[in-house]
């Protein structure tokens, strides 16, 4: 029977050599969920997102996208990534392309859209993130906050169902964090399903409806933001939060 789960992570483990980086990770993402993943550096947060986006191959376990196991070798990965997009800490823009081309190339190459249509969509999302005045700029001419807003517009232009964010504000100067979080807050309000790795605890508390706290490759604790931040059950969660808040 159909349910509202968009993603189901089941017994997911990832090892690099003898290093067990993720161990028996289990959680669900429903349509419209904003899931924030928090945890210390090295706890496996990026690896988890990279597995969900198939930038890493899980060692064991399943990742079900609408009940289809994406770790199946028959999976069409580029097509899957149009549905489950990703925004990176270091933007990963194409530095030799203009802002507009950055936001068009995936639409043309992967979605096979014609250029006019791709341009219309790119412009729509560049306007949404406040970057329409910069369409002819190259990434190096932009601030970090502007680059990240372009990267978000580029991801949105693929019209994904889920967007993954890996510490989208960690590489930014403090005065630019707010402009990126504001864009993400708008997307959350509009009901976009998002999984966000972040150290911005106030943002996580305010915007998410589900918080996953990771430590040493496992989910230590998860729940509603009011519970995780207001009434954590485990001492390890409490200790982590006192260091960050
Ligand atoms: P986080 O994002 O929470 O800081 P990561 O997922 O980046 O954590 O890393 C978790 C652990 O996995 C770290 O010990 C890291 O060194 C290791 N790791 C990540 N990617 C690789 C890789 N490609 N090869 C070997 N070890 C890796
Ligand atoms: Mg990381």
């Amino acid at each position: 029977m159909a349910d509202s789960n968009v993603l189901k992570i089941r017994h997911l483990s990832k090892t690099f050599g003898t290093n067990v980086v993720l161990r028996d990770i289990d959680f669900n993402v429903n349509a419209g969920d904003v899931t924030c993943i928090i945890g210390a550096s090295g706890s496996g947060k990026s690896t988890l997102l990279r597995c969900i986006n198939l930038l890493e191959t899980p060692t064991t376990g399943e990742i079900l996208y609408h009940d289809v196991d994406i770790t199946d070798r028959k999976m069409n990965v580029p097509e899957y990534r149009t549905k489950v997009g990703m925004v990176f800490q270091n933007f990963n823009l194409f530095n030799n392309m203009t802002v507009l081309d950055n936001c068009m190339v995936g639409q043309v190459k992967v979605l096979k859209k014609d250029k006019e249509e791709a341009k219309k969509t790119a412009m729509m999302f560049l306007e949404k993130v406040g970057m329409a005045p910069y369409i002819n700029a190259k990434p190096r001419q932009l601030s970090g906050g502007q680059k990240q807003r372009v990267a978000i517009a580029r991801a949105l232009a693929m019209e994904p169902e889920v967007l993954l964010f890996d510490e989208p504000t960690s590489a930014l100067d403090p005065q630019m964090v707010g402009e990126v979080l504001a864009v993400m807050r708008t997307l959350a309000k509009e009901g976009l399903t998002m999984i966000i790795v972040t150290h911005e605890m106030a943002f996580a508390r305010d915007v998410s409806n589900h918080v996953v706290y990771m430590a040493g490759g496992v989910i230590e604790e998860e729940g509603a933001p009011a519970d995780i931040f207001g009434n954590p059950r485990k001492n390890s969660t409490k200790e982590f939060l006192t260091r960050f808040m």
Side-chain angles (χ1 to χ4, degrees):
M1 211 177 84
D3 57 33
S4 64
N5 286 150
V6 177
L7 283 165
K8 288 185 238 174
I9 318 295
R10 289 280 172 273
H11 304 298
L12 176 69
S13 297
K14 176 69 182 173
T15 54
F16 292 106
T18 56
N19 189 6
V20 183
V21 171
L22 297 175
R23 199 187 302 264
D24 205 20
I25 300 287
D26 259 289
F27 70 96
N28 293 337
V29 176
N30 294 310
D33 273 355
V34 177
T35 302
C36 280
I37 302 177
I38 61 173
S41 176
S43 58
K45 307 178 301 296
S46 292
T47 305
L48 175 57
L49 278 198
R50 291 170 61 82
C51 284
I52 296 172
N53 199 236
L54 291 179
L55 290 166
E56 301 285 358
T57 310
T59 306
T60 59
E62 293 180 328
I63 298 171
L64 304 173
Y65 175 64
H66 293 290
D67 292 318
V68 174
D69 188 0
I70 61 153
T71 64
D72 191 311
R73 282 176 42 232
K74 291 196 289 285
M75 193 66 199
N76 180 335
V77 175
E79 189 187 296
Y80 169 71
R81 290 205 188 115
T82 68
K83 309 275 197 242
V84 178
M86 182 133 161
V87 172
F88 300 88
Q89 181 173 347
N90 289 308
F91 330 120
N92 290 14
L93 293 174
F94 304 112
N95 287 318
N96 58 335
M97 288 185 197
T98 64
V99 163
L100 182 60
D101 286 339
N102 264 281
C103 295
M104 287 174 62
V105 63
Q107 298 186 68
V108 172
K109 293 226 159 124
V110 183
L111 299 180
K112 312 289 181 206
K113 284 201 204 168
D114 68 57
K115 286 204 165 168
E116 277 314 301
E117 206 192 330
K119 184 174 175 184
K120 238 166 79 186
T121 303
M123 288 304 302
M124 181 170 82
F125 288 109
L126 284 166
E127 264 159 40
K128 185 178 187 87
V129 302
M131 287 303 290
Y134 297 87
I135 51 171
N136 295 315
K138 293 278 182 69
R140 70 181 138 74
Q141 297 168 296
L142 304 177
S143 72
Q146 290 174 327
K147 281 189 234 188
Q148 195 58 296
R149 286 187 282 142
V150 171
I152 293 171
R154 178 179 64 175
L156 291 171
M158 302 301 279
E159 305 196 58
E161 184 181 10
V162 183
L163 212 42
L164 314 175
F165 293 81
D166 192 1
E167 298 201 34
T169 61
S170 292
L172 304 181
D173 292 335
Q175 72 271 23
M176 287 161 192
V177 170
E179 67 194 52
V180 171
L181 294 182
V183 168
M184 294 169 66
R185 203 178 280 269
T186 301
L187 298 176
K189 280 211 189 93
E190 290 171 356
L192 180 66
T193 307
M194 305 195 274
I195 307 177
I196 306 167
V197 172
T198 187
H199 293 297
E200 296 290 333
M201 298 302 164
F203 172 83
R205 183 173 191 154
D206 198 28
V207 174
S208 74
N209 67 314
H210 185 200
V211 177
V212 173
Y213 168 58
M214 289 182 65
V218 302
I219 295 180
E220 273 282 289
E221 186 165 348
E222 66 173 312
D227 293 329
I228 298 290
F229 293 109
N231 190 20
R233 283 177 288 114
K234 290 199 174 171
N235 283 331
S236 57
T237 315
K238 282 179 205 159
E239 279 159 24
F240 172 77
L241 289 173
T242 50
R243 278 190 283 133
F244 267 97
M245 298 177 81

